[in-house]
Amino acid sequence: ISAEYMGILSLVLMDPLSLYSVKAVLVLNGEGSRLVARYYGTDFADEAAQRTFESSLFAKTHRMALDVILFEGFTCVYRSFGDVFFYVVGASFENELVLVSVLDGLYDSVCQWFKESFDALAILENLAIVLLLVDEMIDHGVILETSPEILLQRVQLEPQTSKKIAKAASSMMDKGLNVVKRALLT
């Protein structure tokens, strides 16, 4: 068996049909510092390895016009807006179009949330929203949703739901206090 055949066979045996498509989602500022980072799987053992990967990736891509790169054994797709860089990282055998659909979903969701204008400071000020968008898109590396409209609906439902729960809890507390008052007065 030739070495070339063995290389192809090893790629096939790496389970390219796995649902676990995404290894990381990164949002970096214009200096390459982390704004948002979600890593999935065991490819990046600790935070030091993550930070090293992020700085190397940024150094390699921040001046390039391309949007797909094979970097350190990973397929990376990226996009920038002003001083914000979005990255989606997958395995080396991962389909770039799948990763680009995740990237586009995140980028379009953020653009719609901020009404087309944002920067690194706006991302940090709304960090909970951006993290929630990422968590609604991907669960442990499995892509759940990429449609910006659906993602934004899910993000916007969170505060309404919590307000309803708070209102119901307040109402129940008021009723409980009234029962206690009546019991004490009689």
Side-chain angles (χ1 to χ4, degrees), residues 170-185:
S170 176
S171 174
M172 293 300 286
M173 289 296 291
D174 290 341
K175 289 178 183 177
L177 285 173
N178 287 337
V179 168
V180 169
K181 285 179 187 177
R182 282 191 223 126
L184 290 174
L185 292 174

Side-chain angles (χ1 to χ4, degrees), residues 2-186:
S2 72
E4 181 180 358
Y5 179 76
M6 288 302 293
I8 292 171
L9 183 60
S10 68
L11 281 177
V12 170
L13 294 176
M14 292 173 84
D15 195 16
L17 299 176
S18 172
L19 291 176
Y20 298 93
S21 301
V22 178
K23 300 291 184 185
V25 174
L26 308 170
V27 181
L28 307 178
N29 68 12
E31 298 171 356
S33 297
R34 177 188 294 185
L35 299 174
V36 174
R38 286 280 197 244
Y39 286 88
Y40 310 101
T42 58
D43 293 305
F44 301 94
D46 57 6
E47 188 172 343
Q50 294 172 2
R51 297 261 185 197
T52 301
F53 178 78
E54 292 166 15
S55 63
S56 300
L57 180 62
F58 179 78
K60 182 76 171 181
T61 60
H62 78 281
R63 294 184 189 259
M64 295 176 67
L66 301 173
D67 59 353
V68 178
I69 187 172
L70 188 60
F71 181 74
E72 293 184 6
F74 297 97
T75 301
C76 305
V77 296
Y78 58 96
R79 190 175 198 179
S80 66
F81 181 86
D83 66 342
V84 180
F85 292 79
F86 297 86
Y87 296 88
V88 176
V89 180
S92 61
F93 54 81
E94 192 59 56
N95 186 333
E96 297 90 15
L97 296 177
V98 171
L99 298 176
V100 167
S101 71
V102 173
L103 178 66
D104 288 345
L106 177 61
Y107 180 83
D108 292 344
S109 297
V110 170
C111 282
Q112 288 178 25
W113 180 263
F114 290 107
K115 308 289 189 249
E116 302 293 330
S117 179
F118 62 91
D119 60 359
L121 181 60
I123 296 287
L124 286 175
E125 289 173 348
N126 294 278
L127 187 59
I129 297 299
V130 178
L131 288 170
L132 188 56
L133 283 170
V134 172
D135 290 343
E136 289 292 330
M137 290 181 73
I138 302 164
D139 185 30
H140 298 291
V142 177
I143 301 167
L144 301 175
E145 184 62 59
T146 60
S147 169
E149 292 78 21
I150 294 172
L151 291 167
L152 289 172
Q153 282 177 348
R154 289 180 182 172
V155 170
Q156 290 172 351
L157 286 178
E158 293 297 322
Q160 293 172 355
T161 304
S162 62
K163 287 178 186 177
K164 288 178 183 177
I165 291 171
K167 186 175 180 179
S170 176
S171 174
M172 293 300 286
M173 289 296 291
D174 290 341
K175 289 178 183 177
L177 285 173
N178 287 337
V179 168
V180 169
K181 285 179 187 177
R182 282 191 223 126
L184 290 174
L185 292 174
T186 55

